[in-house]
Amino acid sequence: MSKNLLVTINDPADLRRLPKSDLPIIAQELRSFIIDIVAAKEGHLGASLGVIELTIALHYVFNTPIDQLVWDVGHQAYGHKILTGRRDIFHTNRDLGGISGFPKRSESVYDTFGTGHSSTSISAALGMAMASSLKKEDRKHIAVVGDASIASGMAFEALNHAGVSGADLLVVLNDNAIGIDPSVGALKDYLTKTKSGKETGRDNIFESLNFDYSGPVDGHDLPSLLKELERQKDLKGPRLLHVRTVKGKGLKQAEIDQVRYHAPGKFDKITGEIPASDTSKLPPKFQDVFGHTIVELARANEKIVGITPAMPTGSSMKIMMEAIPDRAFDVGIAEQHAVTLAAGMATQGLVPFCNVYSTFLQRAYDQVIHDVALQKLPVIFCLDRAGIVGQDGATHHGVFDLAYLNCIPDMIIAAPMDAVEMRNIMFTASQGLDSPIAIRYPRGRGKILNWQQAFTPIEIGSSRLLKKGKGIAVISIGPIGTMIEDLLEKENLEVTHLDVRFLKPIDSKALEAIFNTHDHIITIEDGTVVGGLGSVVCDLAFAKAYRGTIHKLGMPDAFIEHGPTADLHKIAGIDAEAVLKLIKKLN
């Protein structure tokens, strides 16, 4: 009989007052609680279900928040949030004004480090441990590394340092053989073969780095976990505990289809089934336009290759990986490697399409500059999830790419307004360029149904004058231009609309023509106003001594929190209502 114990847990201290015999009941209730809410509210599912027992054991054995726990990556931490005082507000997860889907320092003292991007926990926990040592504090530091995060270069850098630091650090390797997509690479193969850490026929990789290695331990066996964590609590120095878990544990469908149930959307909480939906009459997602288009291009050009750092499903590179597997590569959570791999391929005459989420390309900024742009290598970057991405929040919004790429010499920056434009820019890039190009596009669907049209080359740096008006000109970049187009038509406004297509090189002739004929200019972009389209237009206007007014609309100089995309656009003042209000004011 269920004891309904979860409602009595308001913080880990309450959990630690329970007898160990009650912990399996907590595990069952915690799983059900997460399934019930995510089924109705959406969010990440499989990763948190896979670490229920581990989460309970860590908070039961260690004296959190005095002992500091860092989750990597953060979408494993739903159970952690529920056990640390956020049970009654967990239904607001990822909502506007609600709690974040990732650990967040400003949200709870138990969230010791923000972890929206992967592979940071060992570095962060090591820093905390070294600080505690310097301050003569008696506390433990634990980094939980899961969902393939251990394979990233940053994790290895931290292991390399931690092994000679002498720091009191416990790394818990949550080995579930999958990130968002199945893990890849030699380390994954090594971990799969490891039974005791000394039975692989070669030296244990972690012991070679001066870590005291233990495991593997069954991550769903609470008595074994508790026993081993209690042993670890009494040890010092760098240690690594290898824990094996099943992503999606406790929900049959999530265990079977771990990719789909990473973040399944709404589903039946009883059966686990995801309701069928007919999307055949909807415009395609931009990511699928990429996926189908690169296959079409690659079949016509054997030099084309595709690269993704651990996001084949999310970026739709999986379409090419299935159609042309010998020319499409998932390199794991390794953005820096992905970029320089593409650069190396480009030196040999290949045409690499490097598909990276906008927010994750930030992790390879030096490689973009030093390895690609400095050498003028024609790598084609396809930046998925550009702009506001909605409920994943500040860690995942792709709002900085226009600005951080714009200052790089010889970098072409394109932002197609629709699926047809996107195909044509991809086609143009594949035909051969003398420098790298970044093609950015948002999460979600476009608006064009008849998108698989014959390819038409686009002149680099050319714009499109979509409507000629008078007095006021709106200059847009990317799919937000579709909103402007619809607004001007709906309101029957005599306003000029220029889709610049390219931030760099920008169509200065078209802009000069607008300067000469319009008193007011509005720039709008789904990106930061600092260094983006608005800044470029203002710089050119200043150089040309433009005497009219320029109004820059875009993301403010602040981190935008999580919530529905439409709500966040409204908050940022780049929604149709805000644009219409400004136009009426200028008239």
Side-chain angles (χ1 to χ4, degrees):
M1 180 182 294
S2 174
K3 295 185 178 181
N4 198 19
L5 293 174
L6 187 60
V7 296
T8 70
I9 308 299
N10 296 310
D11 58 45
D14 292 334
L15 180 70
R16 292 190 281 268
R17 280 190 280 268
L18 296 175
K20 291 179 181 179
S21 59
D22 279 346
L23 298 185
I25 299 171
I26 292 289
Q28 182 179 358
E29 293 180 6
L30 189 54
R31 266 199 182 88
S32 297
F33 187 84
I34 291 172
I35 289 170
D36 286 354
I37 289 182
V38 176
K41 298 283 293 184
E42 304 185 9
H44 295 99
L45 180 68
S48 285
L49 293 184
V51 295
I52 293 296
E53 288 83 6
L54 179 58
T55 303
I56 292 169
L58 285 167
H59 280 295
Y60 192 83
V61 170
F62 291 98
N63 186 28
T64 54
I66 302 301
D67 293 336
Q68 296 186 300
L69 180 61
V70 183
W71 290 94
D72 185 1
V73 289
H75 56 234
Q76 299 177 100
Y78 283 8
H80 159 83
K81 291 202 170 206
I82 293 163
L83 294 177
T84 55
R86 286 163 282 184
R87 179 193 63 242
D88 293 342
I89 57 171
F90 187 70
H91 66 280
T92 70
N93 185 43
R94 293 159 43 95
D95 285 349
L96 184 67
I99 64 172
S100 170
F102 301 98
K104 186 175 181 182
R105 280 172 52 81
S106 62
E107 189 177 290
S108 170
V109 67
Y110 292 93
D111 293 358
T112 61
F113 201 78
T115 49
H117 292 188
S118 80
S119 313
T120 60
S121 66
I122 304 175
S123 297
L126 176 59
M128 296 172 186
M130 293 172 70
S132 290
S133 176
L134 290 170
K135 294 192 291 181
K136 311 298 183 185
E137 294 174 339
D138 183 18
R139 61 201 312 186
K140 295 293 183 179
H141 302 86
I142 307 99
V144 183
V145 186
D147 271 26
S149 294
I150 192 68
S152 172
M154 186 173 178
F156 275 95
E157 292 170 18
L159 288 171
N160 184 52
H161 181 202
V164 296
S165 69
D168 188 1
L169 172 69
L170 173 61
V171 176
V172 178
L173 172 57
N174 170 28
D175 179 9
N176 60 11
I178 188 169
I180 295 174
D181 287 273
S183 302
V184 297
L187 182 62
K188 180 250 187 180
D189 292 342
Y190 173 85
L191 293 174
T192 300
K193 294 173 185 174
T194 301
K195 293 181 180 178
S196 71
K198 297 182 175 67
E199 296 176 7
T200 61
R202 50 183 165 170
D203 290 341
N204 179 281
I205 188 172
F206 300 110
E207 290 185 349
S208 297
L209 292 169
N210 296 332
F211 273 75
D212 180 356
Y213 174 93
S214 302
V217 176
D218 182 347
H220 304 297
D221 182 344
L222 264 170
S224 295
L225 277 175
L226 291 167
K227 181 179 179 181
E228 178 57 29
L229 288 173
E230 285 166 353
R231 187 182 77 86
Q232 291 286 343
K233 188 176 181 180
D234 293 331
L235 299 178
K236 299 285 187 181
R239 292 104 64 209
L240 187 137
L241 173 60
H242 188 175
V243 176
R244 286 231 170 99
T245 64
V246 176
K247 189 167 182 176
K249 180 72 172 178
L251 184 65
K252 182 179 179 182
Q253 290 86 343
E255 293 183 34
I256 295 171
D257 191 349
Q258 295 177 328
V259 174
R260 193 177 187 194
Y261 281 82
H262 171 78
K266 294 181 180 179
F267 62 94
D268 188 299
K269 68 180 183 180
I270 304 300
T271 67
E273 295 295 330
I274 299 172
S277 59
D278 181 10
T279 60
S280 61
K281 296 182 180 179
L282 294 177
K285 294 179 180 179
F286 281 98
Q287 69 182 65
D288 290 338
V289 173
F290 163 82
H292 290 294
T293 301
I294 192 174
V295 169
E296 192 175 341
L297 293 172
R299 283 178 171 151
N301 183 350
E302 63 182 12
K303 293 183 178 181
I304 289 176
V305 292
I307 300 168
T308 178
M311 300 300 294
T313 299
S315 71
S316 291
M317 184 67 80
K318 188 175 182 179
I319 298 173
M320 184 178 181
M321 292 172 70
E322 293 174 349
I324 316 174
D326 60 327
R327 287 195 277 143
F329 309 97
D330 175 6
V331 302
I333 304 175
E335 293 85 1
Q336 293 174 311
H337 167 61
V339 171
T340 305
L341 177 71
M345 289 177 168
T347 67
Q348 301 306 302
L350 297 185
V351 181
F353 280 76
C354 187
N355 188 306
V356 188
Y357 282 16
S358 169
T359 186
F360 296 146
L361 189 64
Q362 295 165 185
R363 312 187 79 183
Y365 192 54
D366 178 64
Q367 285 68 32
V368 173
I369 296 173
H370 182 272
D371 299 342
V372 177
L374 184 61
Q375 304 186 89
K376 296 192 72 171
L377 293 173
V379 174
I380 302 166
F381 294 103
C382 293
L383 304 190
D384 200 340
R385 274 41 171 199
I388 289 291
V389 298
Q391 292 170 306
D392 280 341
T395 59
H396 283 62
H397 294 318
V399 297
F400 302 115
D401 52 21
L402 290 174
Y404 72 65
L405 293 174
N406 187 36
C407 61
I408 302 175
D410 299 317
M411 176 66 72
I412 301 168
I413 306 170
M417 195 172 101
D418 55 48
V420 174
E421 284 279 293
M422 180 175 167
R423 278 171 55 81
N424 288 335
I425 290 174
M426 287 178 65
F427 168 74
T428 301
S430 74
Q431 297 304 292
L433 297 172
D434 295 326
S435 58
I437 182 171
I439 304 169
R440 80 186 300 260
Y441 48 93
R443 182 180 189 173
R445 300 181 184 276
K447 294 197 173 182
I448 296 177
L449 287 169
N450 181 28
W451 59 279
Q452 286 185 296
Q453 301 176 20
F455 292 119
T456 301
I458 291 177
E459 180 185 354
I460 299 297
S462 64
S463 63
R464 296 189 301 166
L465 185 63
L466 300 179
K467 181 181 177 66
K468 189 173 182 179
K470 55 185 180 181
I472 301 171
V474 178
I475 302 171
S476 67
I477 189 167
I480 202 165
T482 302
M483 179 270 287
I484 297 298
E485 196 172 40
D486 293 344
L487 174 66
L488 298 184
E489 181 179 354
K490 177 184 177 183
E491 300 293 334
N492 194 27
L493 296 170
E494 290 298 315
V495 171
T496 294
H497 180 201
L498 180 74
D499 166 30
V500 294
R501 278 180 168 163
F502 295 89
L503 181 68
K504 188 175 184 176
I506 201 158
D507 191 342
S508 57
K509 288 185 178 180
L511 291 178
E512 287 179 39
I514 287 176
F515 296 157
N516 292 333
T517 54
H518 294 76
D519 297 323
H520 305 287
I521 294 172
I522 300 170
T523 66
I524 187 165
E525 56 199 304
D526 191 6
T528 176
V529 294
V530 180
L533 174 64
S535 294
V536 172
V537 171
C538 284
D539 287 347
L540 185 61
F542 179 79
K544 298 297 179 181
Y546 176 62
R547 296 189 176 184
T549 62
I550 299 178
H551 304 265
K552 298 192 298 182
L553 303 182
M555 295 299 120
D557 186 17
F559 290 108
I560 305 297
E561 297 299 339
H562 54 276
T565 299
D567 290 345
L568 299 181
H569 280 178
K570 188 176 182 65
I571 290 170
I574 59 171
D575 60 315
E577 182 181 349
V579 175
L580 179 60
K581 183 178 180 180
L582 178 56
I583 290 173
K584 287 183 175 180
K585 179 182 177 181
L586 296 175
N587 271 331

